[in-house]
Amino acid sequence: MSSRRTTTITGSLLTACFSTVLILSHTAVADDQGPGSGKGGKAMDKPPAGVKVTTLLPERISVDNSTQKTAITATVKNEGTKESGDIRLLVVGFDGLKVKNVKGCTAMAEKDLPKGSNSGFICSTGNLAVGKSKSYAVDATFDLSRTGKICLPVQTSDGKKTYWQQGPVPFGTTNPSPNAPATPLLLGTDNKPVAPGGDRLPKTGAGSEVLPLGVAGAALMSAGAAGLWWVGRRPRQEH
């Protein structure tokens, strides 16, 4: 085989391999948080006829054990039969989960934060057309020695009405990984941090449920963290 032919084939193979790596890498990043979930969401104030807004959080996130940094995608959707009108999405952190930044949104003043929260951002979503959604990239930190919660209220632009609220929703793990590079967290799971100086797992969440061994082993490959918004009235139940 001539050296030119060898060079051509080698170059083609390298190009093909490089393309494959790019495709696989892109897929892995895109699928890292799993599908969006409305877990912990509930309707609040009655919206105009035909208007139905909801939110989604990833089913799982991953926390860097050395920096405590994590990334969360928050999505607001219009599932109604009419345009949403001018709305806004709030992203609020509680306990061990602190929202550091939400791309395209404005940080809430400390005096405006909901009681018990440590951080919050206001995202002016505007008017969502029927069937449309808008997603926001959330940068946060998660103290794995504590529980962590996040909340996504969807309000009118003036904040006088809350149409929808996803929260309180915890992110956590029943199987901490202190010696691993990162700890996967699942949405809707109370965090069970490792006790200082030992490997006992004290209960730190509101619930006491533990994932079945088989389910936990598969689900905790990649996971998630969530929040709370105090509203002093009973949520309207959807039927």
Side-chain angles (χ1 to χ4, degrees):
M1 181 181 293
S2 67
S3 59
R4 176 178 296 180
R5 180 172 173 75
T6 301
T7 302
T8 301
I9 293 175
T10 302
S12 299
L13 288 174
L14 286 175
T15 301
C17 289
F18 183 67
S19 299
T20 301
V21 169
L22 284 179
I23 292 171
L24 291 176
S25 299
H26 176 74
T27 302
V29 171
D31 294 338
D32 184 53
Q33 295 190 343
S37 171
K39 182 179 291 185
K42 49 192 172 291
M44 304 297 290
D45 295 319
K46 186 175 181 179
V51 174
K52 182 182 179 182
V53 289
T54 60
T55 55
L56 298 172
L57 284 165
E59 290 187 347
R60 56 185 183 266
I61 62 174
S62 182
V63 177
D64 186 305
N65 285 341
S66 61
T67 64
Q68 297 188 336
K69 292 181 179 180
T70 187
I72 303 169
T73 300
T75 301
V76 57
K77 295 180 63 179
N78 180 1
E79 295 184 340
T81 58
K82 293 185 178 180
E83 294 181 341
S84 68
D86 200 8
I87 59 174
R88 68 182 192 178
L89 173 71
L90 273 57
V91 182
V92 185
F94 289 80
D95 303 328
L97 190 154
K98 187 169 187 178
V99 181
K100 307 297 287 187
N101 187 52
V102 183
K103 190 174 182 179
C105 304
T106 304
M108 298 175 67
E110 188 173 351
K111 64 181 179 63
D112 296 328
L113 290 173
K115 184 178 179 181
S117 68
N118 57 42
S119 53
F121 281 75
I122 300 174
C123 305
S124 298
T125 303
N127 183 29
L128 273 183
V130 175
K132 297 298 182 180
S133 64
K134 188 168 184 179
S135 295
Y136 297 90
V138 180
D139 292 325
T141 57
F142 195 102
D143 183 350
L144 292 167
S145 67
R146 305 167 61 190
T147 57
K149 300 174 183 177
I150 193 170
C151 190
L152 304 181
V154 182
Q155 303 179 332
T156 51
S157 59
D158 58 10
K160 291 183 178 180
K161 287 188 176 183
T162 300
Y163 291 150
W164 174 266
Q165 173 186 307
Q166 187 172 6
V169 191
F171 273 102
T173 176
T174 57
N175 184 23
S177 309
N179 298 319
T183 296
L185 303 179
L186 289 174
L187 180 65
T189 301
D190 292 308
N191 197 40
K192 306 294 190 298
V194 174
D199 57 2
R200 296 178 60 191
L201 306 182
K203 176 181 177 298
T204 60
S208 59
E209 298 80 12
V210 177
L211 289 175
L213 184 60
V215 175
L220 289 175
M221 293 299 293
S222 310
L228 172 65
W229 177 262
W230 292 108
V231 177
R233 55 186 178 277
R234 184 182 300 276
R236 180 173 63 82
Q237 299 295 323
E238 282 196 303
H239 299 286

